[in-house]
Amino acid sequence: MRANRYTYAHPHPAVTVDCVVFGFDNADLKLLLIRRKTPPFQDGWALPGGFVRLDESVEAAARRELSEETGLGELYLEQLFTFGEVNRDPRERVISVAYYALLKLSDHHVQAGTDADAVAWFPVAKLPKLAFDHELVVAHGLQRLKAKVRYEPIGFELLPGKFTLGELQRLYETVLEQSLDKRNFRKKILSMKLLEPLNEYQRDVAHRAAQFYRFNRRRYEQLKKRGFNFEI
Amino acid sequence: MRANRYTYAHPHPAVTVDCVVFGFDNADLKLLLIRRKTPPFQDGWALPGGFVRLDESVEAAARRELSEETGLGELYLEQLFTFGEVNRDPRERVISVAYYALLKLSDHHVQAGTDADAVAWFPVAKLPKLAFDHELVVAHGLQRLKAKVRYEPIGFELLPGKFTLGELQRLYETVLEQSLDKRNFRKKILSMKLLEPLNEYQRDVAHRAAQFYRFNRRRYEQLKKRGFNFEI
């Protein structure tokens, strides 16, 4: 056992980071989880994360842990919430700062790193039991995603470069956990002038081939900044 | 000097809380500050706050520090942001969780407590130099307030039970840091069905006596939940 070498006049908590990374594969909203190598909750599924070092910012710690455990790099991380209840970790008092990221599954390959036994994407609707209070952390992440859908555009980070209106609707339905009327959805989305139709259609599909669209990046950034109210 | 009695196998950061408390006195948006009794930044103005104890949640620490330093109790605190840069405190590595509250100046009396030399409300437009990175923390608080104005009603926590449309407009103008067209503002606010006119008018004013309004609490909560887009 390592000697206790760091001493303080007052008791100090430990600080960790946890990363809530959502991905979308055109059917399911998925969450990135790792299988823990060490106790507590050994072999249990958990959010990627770990202890903050004293010589790195909290956000840098989130990036480092995500990279070490899952191979992911260069993500846009947004701070989600800090979890500060007293008994959330059986080892000692641990305060955790959670971060949140959205990505396209097709653009990122993940692989278990040094501190994780396995890494996998789970559909948000079918998550395994999670270590620590990570179910609560994930609930906060989903709540943030739902709130965002209401007042700013989402999808740029989650959908591929071109997508059908059906795929976009599926994303909204998955995040909002409710089905939407197809005609109303299309009318609202198209009226925002957020989408550009492409002269390209689905191929090899049994049903009528749907047209592809892409986001107008300038308009997307504008709406993101200005906000709107997407009433459903 | 107290002996260093707390030892750990790994280095631990200290964790503090900082409270961004805004109040409105019908003319100015104000911020609650305390004057520090001890180094660093001794005699400097700072946000109320202090170290999190191991036996209290982070939010409980914010409430305790606010009460100890300013006499305020029973506030609705919302978590704002966690500040985790490496060198933000000259004493040691300190990560700070910031909280945010809105209150009516008329309802709360503040007084310097045990850990503060003085406590005072400063107009947000004329803040003194602040200790640590508290100017950055305050900037985050103002940004949150500005964002909220855009997609949910504010005012219930900041205005007295009855107020004129002019006072409400002044609150919006102060938060948004821009002047608004009187007619447009009234039209938009009244169309939300958020306000109830009272059969009561200002007295002893030189100009034409303005009517008083109050918030319809049920509608306020509904709009807060559902959101809207207040375009200006």
Side-chain angles (χ1 to χ4, degrees), chain A residues 2-15 52-59 79-86 92-93 95 97 99 144 150-152 223-229 231, chain B residues 2-15 52-59 79-86 92-93 95 97 99 144 150-152 223-229 231:
Chain A
R2 193 192 293 225
N4 287 328
R5 291 184 299 126
Y6 299 91
T7 63
Y8 303 91
H10 301 275
H12 280 44
V15 176
V52 175
R53 297 177 185 161
L54 291 209
D55 61 351
E56 68 187 352
S57 72
V58 178
E59 187 175 320
Q79 204 185 93
L80 181 61
F81 197 76
T82 294
F83 294 82
E85 293 303 316
V86 174
E92 61 176 317
R93 175 72 192 275
I95 293 166
V97 185
Y99 285 82
R144 173 77 56 101
R150 222 175 49 178
Y151 59 80
E152 63 178 48
L223 282 178
K224 197 140 188 145
K225 209 173 147 188
R226 213 182 69 185
F228 58 70
N229 193 30
E231 292 201 23
Chain B
R2 193 193 295 223
N4 288 329
R5 291 184 300 126
Y6 300 91
T7 63
Y8 303 91
H10 301 275
H12 281 43
V15 176
V52 175
R53 296 177 185 160
L54 291 209
D55 62 351
E56 67 187 352
S57 72
V58 178
E59 188 176 319
Q79 204 186 93
L80 182 62
F81 196 76
T82 294
F83 294 83
E85 292 303 316
V86 175
E92 62 176 314
R93 175 72 192 274
I95 293 166
V97 185
Y99 285 81
R144 173 76 57 100
R150 223 175 47 179
Y151 59 80
E152 64 177 47
L223 281 177
K224 196 139 187 144
K225 209 171 147 188
R226 213 183 70 186
F228 58 70
N229 193 30
E231 291 202 23

Side-chain angles (χ1 to χ4, degrees), chain B residues 156 196 215-224:
Chain B
F156 204 90
E196 289 172 0
F215 288 111
N216 176 320
R217 178 127 207 182
R218 183 180 299 199
R219 177 72 179 155
Y220 193 90
E221 298 299 339
Q222 188 188 40
L223 281 177
K224 196 139 187 144

Side-chain angles (χ1 to χ4, degrees), chain B residues 176-226:
Chain B
L176 292 167
E177 294 179 285
Q178 67 179 94
S179 58
L180 302 172
D181 178 74
K182 183 172 161 179
R183 265 185 64 181
N184 270 342
F185 178 79
R186 285 170 188 227
K187 209 173 118 190
K188 259 177 226 160
I189 281 287
L190 293 175
S191 74
M192 287 179 193
K193 302 187 188 321
L194 182 63
L195 302 181
E196 289 172 0
L198 297 173
N199 195 12
E200 210 176 320
Y201 291 79
Q202 286 181 313
R203 278 192 286 186
D204 306 322
V205 287
H207 50 83
R208 197 168 73 113
Q211 190 171 9
F212 282 116
Y213 289 79
R214 68 173 173 207
F215 288 111
N216 176 320
R217 178 127 207 182
R218 183 180 299 199
R219 177 72 179 155
Y220 193 90
E221 298 299 339
Q222 188 188 40
L223 281 177
K224 196 139 187 144
K225 209 171 147 188
R226 213 183 70 186

Side-chain angles (χ1 to χ4, degrees), chain B residues 97-115:
Chain B
V97 185
Y99 285 81
Y100 150 108
L102 304 177
L103 56 80
K104 303 188 223 310
L105 281 183
S106 54
D107 283 4
H108 297 273
H109 173 68
V110 297
Q111 57 181 50
T114 46
D115 298 348

Side-chain angles (χ1 to χ4, degrees), chain A residues 1-217:
Chain A
M1 197 177 156
R2 193 192 293 225
N4 287 328
R5 291 184 299 126
Y6 299 91
T7 63
Y8 303 91
H10 301 275
H12 280 44
V15 176
T16 56
V17 286
D18 286 305
C19 299
V20 181
V21 182
F22 290 117
F24 190 67
D25 67 359
N26 292 9
D28 271 332
L29 184 67
K30 291 188 168 167
L31 177 70
L32 187 63
L33 295 174
I34 58 116
R35 199 161 59 209
R36 292 178 56 80
K37 255 184 170 165
T38 52
F41 303 101
Q42 190 167 6
D43 301 323
W45 291 98
L47 295 169
F51 290 95
V52 175
R53 297 177 185 161
L54 291 209
D55 61 351
E56 68 187 352
S57 72
V58 178
E59 187 175 320
R63 287 184 194 290
R64 179 184 49 73
E65 287 290 345
L66 201 53
S67 162
E68 284 175 9
E69 294 188 341
T70 74
L72 283 177
E74 293 297 310
L75 282 189
Y76 174 71
L77 290 178
E78 185 179 311
Q79 204 185 93
L80 181 61
F81 197 76
T82 294
F83 294 82
E85 293 303 316
V86 174
N87 293 311
R88 39 178 311 287
D89 193 307
R91 292 169 291 189
E92 61 176 317
R93 175 72 192 275
V94 179
I95 293 166
S96 191
V97 185
Y99 285 82
Y100 150 107
L102 304 176
L103 56 81
K104 304 187 222 312
L105 282 182
S106 55
D107 283 3
H108 297 273
H109 173 68
V110 297
Q111 57 180 47
T114 46
D115 299 346
D117 226 24
V119 58
W121 290 100
F122 286 82
V124 164
K126 289 175 201 158
L127 293 181
K129 194 170 161 41
L130 299 183
F132 306 104
D133 58 353
H134 287 184
E135 274 152 36
L136 181 65
V137 182
V138 172
H140 267 258
L142 285 169
Q143 201 185 356
R144 173 77 56 101
L145 196 53
K146 267 187 200 176
K148 272 187 184 294
V149 163
R150 222 175 49 178
Y151 59 80
E152 63 178 48
I154 65 156
F156 204 91
E157 305 88 345
L158 291 165
L159 289 169
K162 60 182 186 184
F163 49 85
T164 67
L165 292 180
E167 287 167 344
L168 184 62
Q169 182 174 341
R170 206 139 53 233
L171 171 62
Y172 272 78
E173 288 179 332
T174 309
V175 169
L176 292 166
E177 294 179 285
Q178 68 179 94
S179 60
L180 302 173
D181 178 74
K182 183 171 160 178
R183 265 185 65 181
N184 270 343
F185 178 79
R186 286 172 188 224
K187 209 173 118 188
K188 259 178 227 159
I189 281 287
L190 292 174
S191 74
M192 287 179 193
K193 302 187 188 321
L194 182 63
L195 302 180
E196 289 173 0
L198 298 173
N199 196 11
E200 209 175 321
Y201 291 79
Q202 286 180 312
R203 278 191 285 186
D204 306 323
V205 287
H207 51 83
R208 198 168 74 112
Q211 189 171 7
F212 282 116
Y213 288 79
R214 69 173 173 207
F215 287 110
N216 177 321
R217 177 128 209 181

